[in-house]
Amino acid sequence: MAEENERSGFNWETRFAANETPWERPDLHPAMLAWAKAGELTPGQRVIIPGCGRSPELGFLAAHGLDVTGADLSSTALAFQRQHLDSTGFDATLLEGDVLAHRPDAPYDRVYEQTFLCAIPPRLRCDYETALCDWLKPGGHLLALFMQKDVPGGPPYGCALPAMRELFPAQRWIWPADSDFTAWPHPSLSGKPELAGVLVRR
Ligand SMILES: C[S@@+](CC[C@H](N)C(=O)[O-])C[C@H]1O[C@@H](n2cnc3c(N)ncnc32)[C@H](O)[C@@H]1O
């Protein structure tokens, strides 16, 4: 996608501080619940949620015994997560800063991706794919939610499957069949669908 479509001056911290967060879901993402039910997310796994924001999936996974890391640029969002964790008695690692620069000491079993790839400028997508390859152990899973949006610009920036196949090449990722993706309309964001699918790091 051309860089001129990039929205300038988008400040996540300001948006959280002002409570202007239309991307937030009122409940747990149904795809996460489906993945948990299917055995994709099990106690003891190391999982990272890049750009976790204030989303409840972090607390949900911590409560289910996963070793969770949540990363975000926004101190306001992470303070919310810390407060929620403390109120429930579960714990998680919270990292503040640019998650694309994160290089963990030990690899992760899972990456849970919820409205993060569609939030970063497309020029950063290759850096993200490089980071994902570094984060995940061979055979680790990227639980992807690819936002579908035809209109250029963002965020959210569209993540059409052909572009995703280029970004996550078959040399490094085992792809599910297109028919194995499930579409989940977003409850706000004009109901744009997210395609849920599991990519396996080779
Ligand atoms: C659209 S929001 C999604 C938040 C959350 N995943 C959810 O679904 O509610 C995108 C999130 O990514 C965070 N973010 C954007 N760029 C980032 C970066 N380079 N490193 C870490 N977090 C980033 C923002 O602060 C924001 O919380």
Side-chain angles (χ1 to χ4, degrees), residues 10-13 16 21-25 29 49-57 71-75 77 81 95-101 112-121 124 145 155-156 186 189 194:
F10 196 93
N11 186 314
W12 296 102
E13 172 59 19
F16 280 110
T21 53
W23 58 83
E24 290 188 319
R25 291 173 166 267
H29 201 300
I49 307 181
C52 59
R54 303 189 292 198
S55 73
E57 288 73 20
D72 209 284
L73 289 172
S74 165
S75 57
Q81 293 287 12
L95 303 175
E96 184 179 331
D98 179 7
V99 70
L100 300 180
Y112 177 69
E113 149 72 52
Q114 177 178 316
T115 47
F116 177 70
L117 175 57
C118 71
I120 59 173
L124 297 179
L145 288 162
H186 198 285
L189 302 181
E194 292 169 288

Side-chain angles (χ1 to χ4, degrees), residues 95-132:
L95 303 175
E96 184 179 331
D98 179 7
V99 70
L100 300 180
H102 173 54
R103 291 297 177 268
D105 293 336
Y108 295 97
D109 301 290
R110 299 284 182 270
V111 175
Y112 177 69
E113 149 72 52
Q114 177 178 316
T115 47
F116 177 70
L117 175 57
C118 71
I120 59 173
R123 66 186 158 79
L124 297 179
R125 287 181 171 181
C126 288
D127 293 347
Y128 182 42
E129 194 268 343
T130 301
L132 287 168

Side-chain angles (χ1 to χ4, degrees), residues 26-156:
D27 300 305
L28 288 167
H29 201 300
M32 160 156 292
L33 293 174
W35 278 323
K37 198 171 165 197
E40 260 301 323
L41 294 158
T42 55
Q45 286 175 336
R46 270 172 60 75
V47 59
I48 181 167
I49 307 181
C52 59
R54 303 189 292 198
S55 73
E57 288 73 20
L58 182 134
F60 174 82
L61 293 179
H64 282 76
L66 285 87
D67 178 357
V68 189
T69 296
D72 209 284
L73 289 172
S74 165
S75 57
T76 299
L78 291 182
F80 176 93
Q81 293 287 12
R82 174 52 59 204
Q83 200 175 20
H84 175 75
L85 288 164
D86 290 349
S87 74
T88 58
F90 296 104
D91 201 9
T93 302
L94 300 179
L95 303 175
E96 184 179 331
D98 179 7
V99 70
L100 300 180
H102 173 54
R103 291 297 177 268
D105 293 336
Y108 295 97
D109 301 290
R110 299 284 182 270
V111 175
Y112 177 69
E113 149 72 52
Q114 177 178 316
T115 47
F116 177 70
L117 175 57
C118 71
I120 59 173
R123 66 186 158 79
L124 297 179
R125 287 181 171 181
C126 288
D127 293 347
Y128 182 42
E129 194 268 343
T130 301
L132 287 168
C133 286
D134 182 78
W135 297 347
L136 278 169
K137 57 178 64 162
H141 291 189
L142 168 63
L143 308 186
L145 288 162
F146 294 136
M147 176 69 72
Q148 302 302 295
K149 180 193 176 195
D150 296 332
V151 184

